[in-house]
Amino acid sequence: MSSRTLPLLFVNLGGEMLYILDQRLRAQNIPADKAKKVMNDIISTMFNKKFLDELFKPQELYSKKALRTVFDRLAHASIMRLNQASMDKLYDLMTMAFKYQVLLCPRPKDILLVSFNHMDAIKEFVKDIPCILTQVDETYQQLIQIYTNLSSGEFQLIRQTLLIFFQDMHIRVSIFLKDKVQNSNGRFVLPTSGPVPYGTKVPGLIRMFSCTGKEVSRLQFNNGGNYNAAIREGSFEIFGDRVTKLGTNMYSVSRPVETLMSGTSTNSAQHAKVNMAPNPLAKEELNLLARLMGGLEVQKPGNADNGFRVNLFATDEEEEEAFISRPDELSYGVIKIQATQDQQASAELAKIMGEFSQSGDQSPIVSSKGDDLLAMMDGL
């Protein structure tokens, strides 16, 4: 697997998370100052230098539970709170949207263009906040420096790594179902039309060559689709036309979005249960995760009364029912990093554990019902 996949996965999932939150904060008329604070705090935490230094180190992908833990903390980097069922739904939407984008990329290198589309949108969110904008620009430079010179083979390996990560995730999303790009079993439908990868020709012609390299004959065939040549290549610079629309905000037009758990196939559920077996590398993964989480300097809200709970369901009862009925194989849970058993042997983990304790009130599980200021994704 590619050791350069994690930053791209993080940037794209983070971008999708921000799209979802921004759309509903606007639709539900949350006060502008609170909505702005939520977005700014999350983005500032996402692009914290210490955190990104750990993220950009060459390393293999974390497990789904480990990555979910990182985004769980990111989502609670501000005054907004989500119960576990709502966080599960938010994460499902994020992952399925990016999985679809990876599948649709005409060529593996276009994953970087998708990432830049997400970065462009994130930059727009904080365009009036110079200190956060600087953090985002520094990440742009890292992405350009690391990824623009990678070979086609390396990008193909990154794409394969991402698809392996997503292969057992078949959550049905109402937007995709209505647009007929997803089947009832949660699998995506790939189109047989549109532009071919940049630098390639529209299929439909077979050319025969002699042993000397001279073309001797041509044969036309029906390609079974409606393809056209790519007009130009997207820009890999900080400013430029990405050409592709993949990675842009699909929530810009208000549409009700629902995720449906029944879309998970039996095979994927069985596979997930197999993956739940003890992993001999789990301890090492937790050590890496602890260092990564240690870079997430989540600020403690000064006044708990300013916080508000986000509910991705129409009612509290629906949220509670979704939490109870969610299949075990789809439950990410929360990884708790224990560092108190051997603090002398692991001073670094003990320090991080102390940081977790200081921010203990930021748990996504909120006992108080609170006010439903958001019902994210009307029917979500």
Side-chain angles (χ1 to χ4, degrees):
M1 290 188 177
S2 173
S3 63
R4 289 295 187 184
T5 307
L6 184 58
L8 295 183
L9 179 61
F10 173 79
V11 165
N12 287 284
L13 289 181
E16 289 300 321
M17 177 177 70
L18 293 169
Y19 285 155
I20 297 169
L21 294 177
D22 177 67
Q23 193 269 346
R24 293 314 299 168
L25 287 169
R26 292 174 182 272
Q28 296 297 323
N29 296 318
I30 297 301
D33 58 336
K34 286 190 174 183
K36 188 70 173 176
K37 177 173 175 55
V38 168
M39 301 300 287
N40 289 346
D41 287 351
I42 292 177
I43 295 172
S44 178
T45 305
M46 281 180 61
F47 294 96
N48 174 275
K49 186 178 186 305
K50 182 179 177 183
F51 173 66
L52 288 176
D53 286 344
E54 288 293 335
L55 190 74
F56 274 91
K57 289 179 180 178
Q59 57 193 294
E60 300 302 330
L61 277 186
Y62 298 136
S63 67
K64 293 180 178 67
K65 284 190 175 182
L67 193 66
R68 160 62 194 272
T69 300
V70 174
F71 279 100
D72 195 293
R73 188 160 187 183
L74 273 176
H76 295 88
S78 188
I79 57 177
M80 179 187 68
R81 295 292 174 266
L82 298 102
N83 285 350
Q84 184 169 328
S86 290
M87 185 67 211
D88 286 342
K89 178 156 288 190
L90 176 62
Y91 191 71
D92 286 341
L93 289 171
M94 293 158 47
T95 51
M96 293 307 291
F98 184 46
K99 177 182 180 179
Y100 184 53
Q101 293 160 13
V102 173
L103 287 170
L104 285 187
C105 282
R107 54 177 184 165
K109 190 175 182 180
D110 288 340
I111 292 174
L112 187 54
L113 293 175
V114 176
S115 304
F116 283 164
N117 269 336
H118 281 117
M119 289 292 295
D120 292 343
I122 293 171
K123 188 172 182 178
E124 183 67 20
F125 285 137
V126 294
K127 62 182 179 181
D128 299 325
I129 315 295
C131 59
I132 306 179
L133 191 59
T134 299
Q135 293 176 258
V136 177
D137 283 338
E138 289 176 355
T139 306
Y140 260 118
Q141 295 293 349
Q142 285 183 284
L143 291 171
I144 291 173
Q145 181 180 355
I146 294 173
Y147 292 98
T148 53
N149 293 323
L150 292 184
S151 66
S152 298
E154 181 67 17
F155 274 110
Q156 174 64 12
L157 190 56
I158 288 174
R159 183 177 186 272
Q160 289 178 338
T161 303
L162 288 170
L163 292 178
I164 290 172
F165 180 82
F166 289 126
Q167 67 179 345
D168 295 320
M169 303 178 73
H170 305 297
I171 309 300
R172 295 183 297 168
V173 178
S174 62
I175 282 181
F176 296 142
L177 292 170
K178 290 175 182 177
D179 290 345
K180 301 187 184 302
V181 299
Q182 192 179 31
N183 290 325
S184 59
N185 61 3
R187 298 181 183 275
F188 287 110
V189 179
L190 299 183
T192 55
S193 61
V196 298
Y198 177 79
T200 63
K201 296 183 178 180
V202 175
L205 175 65
I206 299 175
R207 296 189 295 169
M208 305 291 186
F209 294 87
S210 67
C211 57
T212 60
K214 182 180 179 181
E215 182 178 336
V216 294
S217 64
R218 292 190 174 195
L219 176 65
Q220 298 283 345
F221 69 93
N222 184 5
N223 58 29
N226 183 23
Y227 300 102
N228 54 277
I231 300 174
R232 60 188 182 282
E233 185 177 26
S235 172
F236 292 93
E237 302 295 331
I238 289 184
F239 301 101
D241 182 7
R242 312 303 178 193
V243 178
T244 180
K245 297 299 182 183
L246 298 175
T248 56
N249 191 354
M250 69 176 182
Y251 307 100
S252 55
V253 177
S254 181
R255 306 164 72 184
V257 181
E258 177 65 83
T259 55
L260 307 172
M261 298 301 104
S262 59
T264 305
S265 67
T266 303
N267 290 337
S268 65
Q270 292 175 347
H271 188 75
K273 291 179 180 178
V274 171
N275 285 343
M276 293 172 66
N279 184 349
L281 299 178
K283 182 178 179 180
E284 181 62 24
E285 182 183 59
L286 286 178
N287 289 340
L288 291 170
L289 179 60
R291 290 196 293 272
L292 189 64
M293 296 287 283
L296 278 174
E297 298 176 355
V298 179
Q299 295 185 357
K300 186 175 180 180
N303 186 351
D305 294 336
N306 292 330
F308 60 91
R309 182 168 67 89
V310 172
N311 183 3
L312 275 76
F313 298 82
T315 65
D316 290 342
E317 288 71 22
E318 286 187 19
E319 184 181 48
E320 185 175 353
E321 181 181 352
F323 174 73
I324 295 173
S325 62
R326 188 175 179 85
D328 291 340
E329 64 271 10
L330 293 177
S331 179
Y332 301 102
V334 177
I335 294 177
K336 295 182 179 179
I337 300 176
Q338 299 292 340
T340 56
Q341 296 179 354
D342 189 9
Q343 293 187 1
Q344 293 181 346
S346 183
E348 182 179 6
L349 287 179
K351 178 182 177 183
I352 294 171
M353 192 63 184
E355 294 176 0
F356 282 7
S357 299
Q358 294 173 7
S359 58
D361 62 330
Q362 298 186 26
S363 171
I365 305 301
V366 181
S367 58
S368 171
K369 289 295 183 182
D371 294 329
D372 267 337
L373 298 182
L374 284 183
M376 291 189 66
M377 303 306 177
D378 297 329
L380 226 155

